[in-house]
């Protein structure tokens, strides 16, 4: 599968000119929000970082701070979110999910179930730099039970990559099937060890074998056997192994429809996937749910917040 984002490097990019225009937009009597959207959503992340550097040289001030001071609500979250490098953005989201008033389990699931070893390594480094805390220690202290054990395992970022052993796939599938039947603490542990440590290539074969052995899809089996955040996390891992864009389409659909537009989730997924696979996520969304992601955002959001989300989502003519 060829993955594609919706945001690309802008041609004829001039950070100094962009910084100047942003400075004008932020310093006017009324903040020119359309200008902010036009520039920040139409530049890729590395270009935005260069704009921030030019902005600091020019005005002696921090662009993120100026955005925070001039904007409010969800629109502010989008504009500020665009300014973080990917690993810092993940770290920022995890910190708030762990240290907020309530732990936001769904944010932890979204991020840790879907990132590669390299992304996890960089996110842990960013977390330590930004918050002077160890991500794994924070997960350990803010979550509990088998949910915590599974998150801790994912946060190690030690999944096998690129390796597959067809001869052991059936055996792994048997172990998974038994774990779903028996449900003891030890079996839960075995289950998460397989899902967190085997390579995607290996798990593809294991899931196929599981279906052959049990006559059941692994997601259905997990849903029947387990509950709570542990179950949600296991399902997320399985869905990400199968098809990441499909997983994020499902998460967006839930965030928009089941939770009455859960802004944080929508913002986080659009920003985090904008240069990775948001185009694929849009395709999956339309295939699975009949309406375009663009249409659904337009329906639920409004004002500059809506414009910013739609600019990141980028629509086709028929979506408007």
């Amino acid at each position: 599968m060829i993955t594609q984002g919706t945001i690309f490097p802008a041609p004829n990019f001039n950070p100094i000119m962009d910084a100047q225009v942003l400075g004008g937009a932020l310093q006017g009597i009324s903040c020119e929000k359309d200008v902010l959207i036009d520039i920040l959503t139409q530049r890729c992340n590395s270009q935005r970082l260069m704009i921030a550097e030019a902005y600091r040289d020019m005005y002696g001030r921090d662009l993120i701070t100026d955005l925070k001071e001039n904007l409010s609500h969800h629109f502010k979250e989008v504009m500020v979110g665009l300014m973080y490098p990917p690993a810092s953005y993940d770290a920022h989201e995890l910190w708030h999910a762990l240290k907020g008033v309530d732990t936001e389990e769904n944010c932890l699931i979204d991020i840790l179930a879907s990132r590669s070893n390299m992304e996890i390594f960089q996110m842990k480094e960013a977390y330590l730099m930004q918050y002077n805390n160890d991500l794994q220690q924070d997960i350990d202290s803010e979550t509990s039970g088998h949910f915590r054990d599974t998150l801790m395992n994912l946060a190690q970022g030690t999944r096998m990559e690129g390796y597959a052993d067809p001869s052991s796939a059936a055996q792994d599938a048997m172990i998974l099937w038994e774990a779903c039947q028996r449900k003891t603490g030890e079996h839960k542990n075995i289950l998460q060890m397989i899902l967190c440590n085997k390579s995607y290539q290996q798990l593809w074969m294991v899931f196929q074998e599981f279906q052959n052995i049990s006559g059941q899809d692994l997601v259905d089996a997990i849903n029947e056997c387990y509950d709570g955040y542990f179950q949600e996390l296991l399902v997320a891992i399985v869905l990400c192994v199968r098809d990441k864009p499909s997983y994020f389409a499902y998460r967006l659909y839930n965030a928009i429809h089941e939770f009455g537009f859960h802004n944080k989730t929508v913002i986080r997924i659009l920003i985090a996937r904008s240069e990775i696979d948001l185009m694929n996520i849009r395709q999956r969304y339309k295939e699975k749910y009949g309406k375009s992601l663009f249409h659904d955002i337009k329906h639920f959001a409004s004002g500059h917040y809506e414009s910013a989300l739609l600019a990141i989502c980028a629509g086709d003519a028929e979506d408007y």
Side-chain angles (χ1 to χ4, degrees):
M1 179 176 77
I2 299 163
T3 58
Q4 197 185 19
T6 55
I7 293 179
F8 305 96
N12 315 320
F13 170 60
N14 182 340
I16 294 172
M17 211 160 83
D18 283 348
Q20 226 165 351
V21 175
L22 286 175
L26 286 164
Q27 260 130 73
I29 295 165
S30 64
C31 172
E32 295 167 49
K33 299 187 175 93
D34 294 328
V35 175
L36 304 181
I37 295 171
D38 286 346
I39 292 181
L40 297 179
T41 65
Q42 303 307 309
R43 309 288 182 270
C44 68
N45 188 264
S46 57
Q47 290 178 332
R48 288 182 214 121
L49 299 181
M50 289 159 75
I51 295 170
E53 211 174 309
Y55 189 91
R56 185 176 288 111
D57 293 343
M58 201 175 288
Y59 300 105
R61 287 201 315 278
D62 178 57
L63 179 53
I64 289 189
T65 308
D66 281 1
L67 288 168
K68 282 180 179 170
E69 283 175 5
N70 282 283
L71 307 175
S72 59
H73 303 310
H74 302 307
F75 180 58
K76 171 170 84 173
E77 287 170 42
V78 178
M79 292 292 114
V80 170
L82 288 169
M83 296 306 303
Y84 287 101
S88 300
Y89 186 59
D90 278 349
H92 170 269
E93 293 293 292
L94 289 170
W95 167 260
H96 287 282
L98 288 163
K99 298 296 182 182
V101 183
D102 300 314
T103 305
E104 285 181 61
E105 287 83 2
N106 279 316
C107 173
L108 305 178
I109 292 171
D110 269 353
I111 293 176
L112 290 167
S114 65
R115 304 304 194 251
S116 68
N117 289 350
M118 182 52 118
E119 287 169 329
I120 287 169
F121 175 75
Q122 291 171 337
M123 166 203 313
K124 286 195 288 193
E125 282 206 313
Y127 194 92
L128 188 61
M129 290 237 333
Q130 282 159 243
Y131 306 107
N132 205 12
N133 272 29
D134 180 87
L135 175 61
Q136 278 156 291
Q137 280 174 358
D138 283 351
I139 291 171
D140 192 47
S141 62
E142 303 294 338
T143 59
S144 61
H146 291 281
F147 177 59
R148 173 179 64 196
D149 298 342
T150 312
L151 288 174
M152 291 290 280
N153 197 343
L154 290 169
Q156 284 175 352
T158 50
R159 182 186 293 286
M160 296 281 289
E161 289 188 338
Y163 171 81
D165 173 19
S167 61
S168 67
Q171 189 188 352
D172 288 338
M174 274 307 291
I175 295 170
L176 282 182
W177 188 67
E178 194 176 312
C180 282
Q181 303 303 305
R182 308 263 300 270
K183 303 180 206 174
T184 66
E186 191 190 343
H187 285 97
K188 287 181 183 175
N189 226 1
I190 292 167
L191 188 63
Q192 63 97 352
M193 291 294 278
I194 290 177
L195 291 180
C196 294
N197 296 323
K198 302 278 180 184
S199 72
Y200 274 30
Q201 291 80 354
Q202 181 72 14
L203 288 173
W204 266 84
M205 295 190 291
V206 173
F207 297 166
Q208 199 46 61
E209 290 291 347
F210 185 92
Q211 178 88 41
N212 298 343
I213 293 165
S214 67
Q216 193 179 28
D217 184 75
L218 180 58
V219 170
D220 296 333
I222 292 170
N223 285 336
E224 268 177 33
C225 301
Y226 298 108
D227 56 15
Y229 292 118
F230 177 61
Q231 166 246 328
E232 286 184 41
L233 177 54
L234 296 181
V235 168
I237 296 169
V238 174
L239 295 178
C240 284
V241 170
R242 284 196 177 142
D243 185 58
K244 237 169 250 188
S246 199
Y247 167 71
F248 284 116
Y250 153 75
R251 288 286 296 129
L252 281 167
Y253 187 82
N254 277 359
I256 292 171
H257 295 274
E258 314 249 312
F259 298 107
F261 210 82
H262 192 265
N263 295 287
K264 277 188 169 165
T265 304
V266 176
I267 294 169
R268 182 178 62 249
I269 295 175
L270 288 187
I271 291 178
R273 310 311 292 184
S274 61
E275 292 182 44
I276 302 174
D277 53 6
L278 187 51
M279 194 65 94
N280 310 74
I281 293 168
R282 273 177 36 189
Q283 287 160 350
R284 294 287 189 279
Y285 193 98
K286 196 154 190 182
E287 287 162 12
K288 285 174 82 161
Y289 306 113
K291 292 262 192 332
S292 71
L293 176 59
F294 194 91
H295 169 278
D296 282 355
I297 291 171
K298 211 171 163 53
H299 186 75
F300 284 97
S302 61
H304 288 100
Y305 173 48
E306 175 198 342
S307 308
L309 291 180
L310 294 179
I312 297 167
C313 174
D316 305 316
E318 75 265 18
D319 294 336
Y320 285 83

